[in-house]
Amino acid sequence: MIDETSLAALFDAAAGARARAYAPYSGFSVGAAVLGAGGAIFAGCNVENAAYPVGACAEVGALSAMVAGGETRLAAILVIGGGAGLCTPCGACRQRIREFAGPDAAVVIAGPEGVRRRFTAGELLPESFGPEILQGARP
């Protein structure tokens, strides 16, 4: 799945991004870090907006950074949030992750104390709609 060195680097990058999150309305800061297929790490944080629906999730920032960095496949993503519960990606972010990840990609959920749970992309979004479904679908 993901080796401990990469996991530690993802955690550090996501925690650093979380510390810079812009969450003045909810007070719920989230950080995410993506391990690209090439081995590079890309981080993002949530950015809220006074017009609530136009904020951006941390996963969106990390995935955008990955694409801007020239990667289009991810091996793993780590999401870190506060509180007692799991800060798993929202439905829209699960679909965004799926765009760049196969069903076996690691999705690691963490809190400030460390890793809380590990999933695969397929476990979080079973029977998902991905880019390969569109191949050959046009008349």
Side-chain angles (χ1 to χ4, degrees):
M1 224 153 118
I2 182 172
D3 65 70
E4 293 303 311
T5 301
S6 296
L7 181 63
L10 278 175
F11 183 87
D12 290 345
R18 180 176 181 250
R20 294 182 297 277
Y22 181 75
Y25 306 106
S26 72
F28 192 78
S29 297
V30 180
V34 170
L35 175 64
I41 292 177
F42 307 91
C45 61
N46 61 317
V47 178
E48 295 180 348
N49 189 287
Y52 285 95
V54 297
C57 296
E59 297 90 332
V60 172
L63 290 169
S64 294
M66 179 188 78
V67 171
E71 295 262 11
T72 56
R73 295 298 295 165
L74 71 85
I77 183 168
L78 185 142
V79 181
I80 181 172
L86 295 179
C87 182
T88 58
C90 70
C93 284
R94 291 176 192 212
Q95 184 62 46
R96 288 179 178 107
I97 291 165
R98 175 61 180 90
E99 182 70 18
F100 302 104
D104 293 332
V107 181
V108 181
I109 308 304
E113 76 289 348
V115 172
R116 293 182 173 172
R117 185 132 178 231
R118 298 174 193 221
F119 299 92
T120 64
E123 289 170 331
L124 280 182
L125 192 60
E127 303 303 323
S128 66
F129 185 88
E132 72 283 352
I133 294 171
L134 296 174
Q135 293 175 355
R138 293 189 176 136

